[in-house]
Amino acid sequence: MVIIKSINMKHFIPAIVVILFLTSCKQKQETQQIITTPKTPKNIILLIGDGTGLSQVSASQYFNPNPSNFDRFPVVGLIKTSATDKLITDSAAGATAFASGVKSYNGAIGMDKDTISVPTIVEEIAGRGIKSGVIATSSINHATPASFYAHAKSRGMYDEIAAFLPTSNIDFFAGGGLKFFNQREDGRNLLTELEQNGFQVDTTALPKNASTLKHAILLAETAMPTILEGRGDFLPNATQLAIDALSTNENGFFLMIEGSQIDWGGHANNADYLISELIDFDKTIGVALDFAKTNGETLVLVTADHETGGFTLGPDGDDYNKIKPSFSTKSHSATMIPVFAYGPNAEDFGGIYENNEIYHKMKSAISKEESTVVSQN
Ligand code: MG
Ligand code: ZN
């Protein structure tokens, strides 16, 4: 006899085959075998390397003094990234596809192609007690992070986008963009509003330890400095702090971390800028993977909104032993983008699919009902 029972998974059940030998209280002995499907993740960490295509990832093999953390992923897929109005996407439409599951027009923040607001994964999971965080090396109201907590017709509406944060479902944020909080056209002081809404606000340095309050961390007027200008370990350290702060939540967390300036190195056709930002992003991936490895119930995803610069790793002249990075455009390109996955449900992210499927796969992973097959002999 086979009984298929569905259990709504609130917490993690190990993906093992459990064999229970049940002794019937009556006359007959029965052997009962319970097979659980692979465990579901309690936490999701999504790392977005803005403008990071396969050549950028490959640069982490050739120019990184350390072993690349990209090598640690067991599953790789590819996404198609076009927007609704353009073959080549921008970061706003790209992030809106990840955050809300809809393809939209270039410039859209949390809105569909008809400028109707669409719920973000952060808003949807907050109702289940799951906490969220966003981290970027751009200003925190720039297109990529904004698409996870705000709704605006245009990515350039920076003051409007920042004003979502005091009352959004974000529990932790770190990046630049201070001036959009305390030097605003409308005269509002969002730092005060953040404190009134339960945030600890830091504007000079990352706090040493996670607080029991929510965290608002704004360490630059606009974008954070570049690595070449001495940003140091802001991104990996902010990631560790966010994990420390959010992982105490018993219902789990969602954390989006953006290596924002890989894209800017591509736009500038500046290989040193691009590669230094990329290596910082690679190091940050290591922080997420180290946590996921010991935690066991965290899905880690790394992908990008699009490629930037038409970056190429060609030879230096005729010297096939020397790579000379070059670029084919100052803009974004249409190449497919790799997706790297580690942890429970990682296997869902293999194959070739559209960028907005990332949202649906994440939602499915974190909402999946654990089905348990009980077979009795
Ligand atoms: Mg971005
Ligand atoms: Zn760009």
Side-chain angles (χ1 to χ4, degrees):
M1 183 175 68
V2 175
I3 306 161
I4 297 175
K5 202 169 56 164
S6 196
I7 301 169
N8 195 349
M9 274 292 293
K10 196 173 173 199
H11 299 293
F12 156 67
I13 292 178
I16 53 171
V17 176
V18 181
I19 301 177
L20 293 178
F21 294 98
L22 291 183
T23 309
S24 158
C25 321
K26 310 259 167 73
Q27 298 91 349
K28 196 178 78 176
Q29 263 204 345
E30 279 189 344
T31 302
Q32 190 179 56
Q33 192 179 44
I34 300 177
I35 302 163
T36 58
T37 55
K39 63 198 174 189
T40 60
K42 177 170 147 185
N43 314 308
I44 297 180
I45 302 177
L46 171 64
L47 296 114
I48 300 175
D50 198 315
T52 301
L54 194 52
S55 284
Q56 280 84 349
V57 173
S58 306
S60 234
Q61 307 290 337
Y62 298 113
F63 297 99
N64 195 339
N66 303 306
S68 173
N69 285 295
F70 284 102
D71 295 357
R72 296 169 63 182
F73 289 91
V75 176
V76 182
L78 291 170
I79 49 171
K80 306 179 208 181
T81 63
S82 62
T84 52
D85 63 331
K86 297 282 194 304
L87 278 175
I88 299 176
T89 190
D90 81 334
S91 295
T96 294
F98 296 152
S100 294
V102 297
K103 294 244 185 200
S104 194
Y105 58 93
N106 281 355
I109 302 291
M111 287 190 174
D112 70 10
K113 63 180 174 45
D114 303 316
T115 66
I116 309 291
S117 288
V118 281
T120 72
I121 189 166
V122 167
E123 293 161 349
E124 291 175 321
I125 63 180
R128 292 167 46 201
I130 300 173
K131 291 194 173 180
S132 288
V134 289
I135 302 172
T137 53
S138 61
S139 57
I140 202 66
N141 53 346
H142 209 262
T144 310
S147 299
F148 287 83
Y149 63 80
H151 305 276
K153 282 184 184 168
S154 165
R155 58 184 291 169
M157 298 164 71
Y158 290 116
D159 276 10
E160 290 86 345
I161 291 168
F164 277 85
L165 276 166
T167 54
S168 76
N169 298 114
I170 297 291
D171 302 283
F172 182 108
F173 67 88
L178 181 59
K179 76 166 195 174
F180 302 104
F181 291 76
N182 63 1
Q183 299 154 56
R184 296 169 55 83
E185 302 241 323
D186 61 11
R188 282 167 69 180
N189 185 338
L190 297 187
L191 300 183
T192 307
E193 292 183 31
L194 284 162
E195 284 170 347
Q196 287 165 347
N197 283 283
F199 281 89
Q200 172 183 316
V201 177
D202 288 277
T203 59
T204 54
L206 279 175
K208 290 263 181 303
N209 299 301
S211 164
T212 51
L213 298 172
K214 296 188 279 186
H215 278 281
I217 301 164
L218 293 161
L219 303 185
E221 291 293 311
T222 55
M224 293 295 292
T226 67
I227 284 289
L228 297 174
E229 289 166 344
R231 187 172 75 237
D233 281 337
F234 163 78
L235 195 60
N237 289 348
T239 297
Q240 186 62 60
L241 184 70
I243 290 170
D244 292 346
L246 299 173
S247 63
T248 58
N249 187 41
E250 67 168 321
N251 292 322
F253 68 88
F254 171 80
L255 175 61
M256 192 291 297
I257 302 149
E258 186 197 19
S260 317
Q261 298 195 34
I262 300 165
D263 174 65
W264 301 352
H267 283 295
N269 283 190
N270 181 333
D272 290 341
Y273 183 8
L274 187 161
I275 291 168
S276 57
E277 294 295 331
L278 184 84
I279 290 172
D280 176 60
F281 183 63
D282 189 319
K283 186 174 186 178
T284 305
I285 293 168
V287 173
L289 286 175
D290 288 349
F291 168 75
K293 192 175 171 188
T294 54
N295 173 264
E297 44 189 331
T298 301
L299 173 64
V300 179
L301 302 170
V302 182
T303 189
D305 41 9
H306 52 74
E307 194 276 341
T308 306
F311 190 53
T312 306
L313 301 176
D316 190 357
D318 291 332
D319 186 352
Y320 270 39
N321 249 334
K322 195 169 174 207
I323 292 164
K324 187 180 180 191
S326 60
F327 297 87
S328 64
T329 175
K330 297 237 172 195
S331 301
H332 301 168
S333 74
T335 184
M336 288 196 290
I337 293 297
V339 180
F340 300 84
Y342 174 99
N345 291 91
E347 62 281 2
D348 292 356
F349 293 84
I352 298 181
Y353 46 95
E354 295 287 344
N355 58 356
N356 58 322
E357 285 301 312
I358 295 273
Y359 162 92
H360 296 289
K361 289 172 189 291
M362 289 193 300
K363 276 293 294 293
S364 156
I366 208 163
S367 319
K368 201 173 266 182
E369 291 201 335
E370 188 88 355
S371 48
T372 304
V373 179
V374 181
S375 68
Q376 293 175 339
N377 309 310

